[in-house]
DNA sequence: GATGAATGAGCTTTCATTCAT
DNA sequence: AATGAATGAAAGCTCATTCAT
């Protein structure tokens, strides 16, 4: 997997900020909250400094530029979120443990919902900035796709063997499924937040839709 | 339907800028291109002025504020795009003319694809700004939803009568269908532009997915 | 009387705008009102144009510059207000007609109050701009002083002959009297407008003060 | 004495800018000089920055807005100038130490002349802005008046007891005296600066006028 | 003569970044 | 390491003035 410029930067950055001091922790927290609330461009470094209780200079001592701070905010999130890498998800939602595709997709959705419940702010930041930053997107998406493919290809094969999936090419299946999941999450957490959600009902609806569409057989 | 603040502004704006001079045309074109390319916040009024070949003052003489210019860019697009109002779409894609839900959804998709092919830049601007501007979103979405409902409710009933739709509540059906369509369009025109598309194949895939999901019956 | 730069301009200006058209009348009226309300610097030519119902270009066609418009506003007022020139005042308040200095000063005060009641706005403009424009002041004051001297010297002599004035040099008397009158008018019309005034009582108080001071004999 | 909005701001401001750095000192000095010379509205922040030898940003870092800088210029002056509050004036010019009203008023005049000799520029700024800013005036004048009354009422009673003042209501006496003093100072320091003054002679003239008017007994 | 669209210099203000302490 | 005062480029916006119609 060829490492790309931005991802390099991300990784380098993530290594640099490994030993996060208490102050850095504060800074990142404040940055997440503010970026999520009013976007990267509309948040000033002085606001971040004030909210995190450090001097503005400190912020630049640690992160060099505002842009870099953004990356430091996004990176750890992405590392967990391009998630299928992460062992936890692997373990939590191992397709082989599920007898039906419905159950598997339901579990996946619930897993991501649980994750986003804990990370709404960062999700908002990431989504907004992905829309704005072609570069970031162009570097991230292929990476994401290949990771997803690496993880889900096996699952798709598995459920095809079980006779539960249409005979479409895996990339197509992947795209349809992930787009549905992603757009559901985007609406739920970014476009219409503040809305109360009945998780069970919503997951069921989504699972039914992904597997069976809206048409009557 | 009570008119809301921002929509009022939008409409007022659209009326004011009725008689668009050549210069105004130039300004709006430049603004669309630049906003789409690097976002509203990262585009300066001086860049817009330079690109459109007018003095910066001219820009403010016509639009008063940069924000207002944004609206002037978005408005005409929205007026065509909250489209199901527009007689054209009504006429072009009248559900009663379609024997099957698949054909109807296919036609709808093709109609919107044709529209967006002509309006990619503005679509990008609108989508990005919708993500950033809670206010705009909060005012627009309910409006959009009610319009969609007004138009599609009938269609849904019609295809239910024909026995082609699952017996889900119309709002749920609407949400599932429209989210699918919207996310397809968002990916195609904003997240992964520059990509070549085989319209026929893609529409077919989407229609099949929306009607039948990915599961094998 | 050596003509000075600004006064030249004033006079030239006043000649140019001799044949005041209806539009010019409108412009001047609007300018007076706006300058008085929020000062010269805070009034834009476009506001004046709008308020007077003419195009902004028309305004410049007639007056050339905003500064010049100010002069056109101030000049006719000054011509009546450096007033002792004006035959009316001469006639109205001819010192020889007054048996006592008190009566004379009282009449003078009443005359100026009557005048300012009709010209409050312009008075405000003039006073404010006199404060701001050293040039205007430096040219105007000597002129004013010589005019006042020309007119009042005779009056002072007259009342000295009648044994009603202290034996101070006329310039000193002039300064004391005129400063008192002017500061009374300034307070009344500019610093504390909106205040109700009992003319008779106030004039009497001022006259008594000017003639007798506050000390007990 | 209920504190008013602007005065609150003034006081808050004066507290904030307690610890004036060398740069702030420079800025304020430059601002005073320029505001006095050509007025607030005709002075640009860039001129102030250049004259004080700091970057324009520095100016805003300290004072936030140009308006606020004006207040920072006016405030300390007012605090000394609504003076009769200040213990110094109380002590310097204690009416009980003066055997005659003439002597007292003379001392008061000399005290204020001495003060203004040191503060001519600021006095000019204050006077000009008072004329332009209704709000400031409306808040300041009642405050000023009540302070003066508080201080001088006693003095007036004292000199009435000594049989040296006419039996006019104290507010009237106050108004006549203070208007005379103020207009003398306004003429001397604002309307006709650059003029040489023979303090002794002028003070004597003013004192005589205030106590005895221009009329022969 | 009258218009008002167009101009562009100049305004106040913001903000990422630097650097002496 | 941490600070925060200082920077200055660039932002959005205003407005007196011009000029083609």
């Amino acid at each position: 997997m060829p490492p790309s410029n931005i991802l390099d930067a991300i990784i380098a950055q993530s290594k640099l900020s490994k030993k996060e001091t208490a102050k850095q922790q504060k800074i990142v927290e404040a940055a997440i909250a503010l970026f999520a609330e009013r976007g990267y461009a509309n948040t000033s470094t002085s606001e971040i400094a004030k909210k995190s209780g450090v001097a503005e200079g400190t912020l630049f001592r640690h992160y060099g530029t505002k842009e870099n701070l953004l990356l430091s905010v996004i990176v750890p999130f992405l590392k967990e979120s391009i998630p299928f890498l992460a062992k936890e998800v692997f373990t939590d939602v191992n397709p082989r443990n599920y007898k039906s595709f419905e159950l598997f997709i339901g579990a996946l959705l619930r897993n991501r919902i649980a994750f986003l419940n804990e990370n709404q702010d960062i999700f908002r930041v990431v989504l907004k900035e992905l829309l704005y930053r072609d570069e970031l997107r162009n570097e991230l998406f292929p990476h994401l796709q290949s990771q997803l493919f690496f993880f889900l290809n096996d699952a798709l094969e598995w459920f095809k063997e079980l006779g539960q999936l249409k005979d479409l090419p895996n990339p197509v299946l992947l795209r349809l499924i992930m787009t549905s999941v992603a757009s559901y999450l985007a609406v739920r957490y970014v476009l219409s937040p503040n809305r109360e959600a009945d998780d069970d009902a919503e997951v069921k609806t989504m699972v039914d839709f992904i597997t069976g569409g809206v048409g009557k057989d």
Side-chain angles (χ1 to χ4, degrees), chain A residues 40-158:
Chain A
Y40 174 82
N42 298 316
T43 303
S44 71
T45 50
S46 85
E47 285 170 313
I48 299 170
K50 185 188 289 179
K51 176 151 192 166
S52 53
V54 305
E56 215 170 340
T58 308
L59 198 152
F60 281 91
R61 166 161 287 277
H62 284 302
Y63 300 98
T65 64
K66 188 186 170 192
E67 184 89 17
N68 214 328
L69 173 56
L70 174 66
L71 293 183
S72 301
V73 161
I74 289 182
V75 170
F77 174 76
L78 287 185
K79 276 182 25 196
E80 217 181 332
S81 194
I82 308 195
F84 310 95
L85 285 174
K87 299 297 178 198
E88 314 99 69
V89 187
F90 250 120
T91 313
D92 274 21
V93 194
N94 186 334
R96 300 278 170 174
N97 296 339
Y98 295 87
K99 278 183 301 190
S100 76
F101 179 70
E102 276 94 343
L103 290 175
F104 168 68
I105 282 292
L108 198 63
L109 258 174
R110 283 171 203 283
N111 176 284
R112 290 299 86 191
I113 286 171
F115 174 64
L116 289 183
N117 276 338
E118 297 303 313
N119 296 280
Q120 300 190 32
D121 280 352
I122 325 179
F123 185 49
R124 262 168 228 146
V125 176
V126 170
L127 210 66
K128 286 178 181 175
E129 294 311 318
L130 274 179
L131 222 58
Y132 257 99
R133 294 164 191 279
D134 297 10
E135 256 198 353
L136 187 59
R137 209 168 55 229
N138 291 339
E139 311 246 21
L140 195 62
F141 275 16
H143 183 71
L144 179 63
Q145 203 163 18
S146 71
Q147 293 299 335
L148 283 172
F149 195 80
F150 175 76
F151 174 53
L152 282 177
N153 199 37
D154 185 52
L156 294 177
E157 289 299 339
W158 167 248

Side-chain angles (χ1 to χ4, degrees), chain A residues 175-213:
Chain A
R175 180 157 51 81
L176 292 172
I177 296 167
M178 295 322 297
T179 305
S180 294
V181 170
S183 64
Y184 168 72
L185 296 174
V187 170
R188 170 161 176 175
Y189 288 100
V190 181
L191 296 182
S192 307
N194 315 326
R195 191 186 50 116
E196 292 178 28
D198 174 346
D199 279 3
D200 287 335
E202 297 208 340
V203 169
K204 183 177 187 322
T205 301
M206 281 307 296
V207 169
D208 286 354
F209 175 66
I210 291 172
T211 54

Side-chain angles (χ1 to χ4, degrees), chain A residues 2-13 71 135-136 139-140:
Chain A
S4 51
N5 270 340
I6 285 203
L7 286 186
D8 276 353
I10 284 181
I11 285 150
Q13 179 54 39
L71 293 183
E135 256 198 353
L136 187 59
E139 311 246 21
L140 195 62

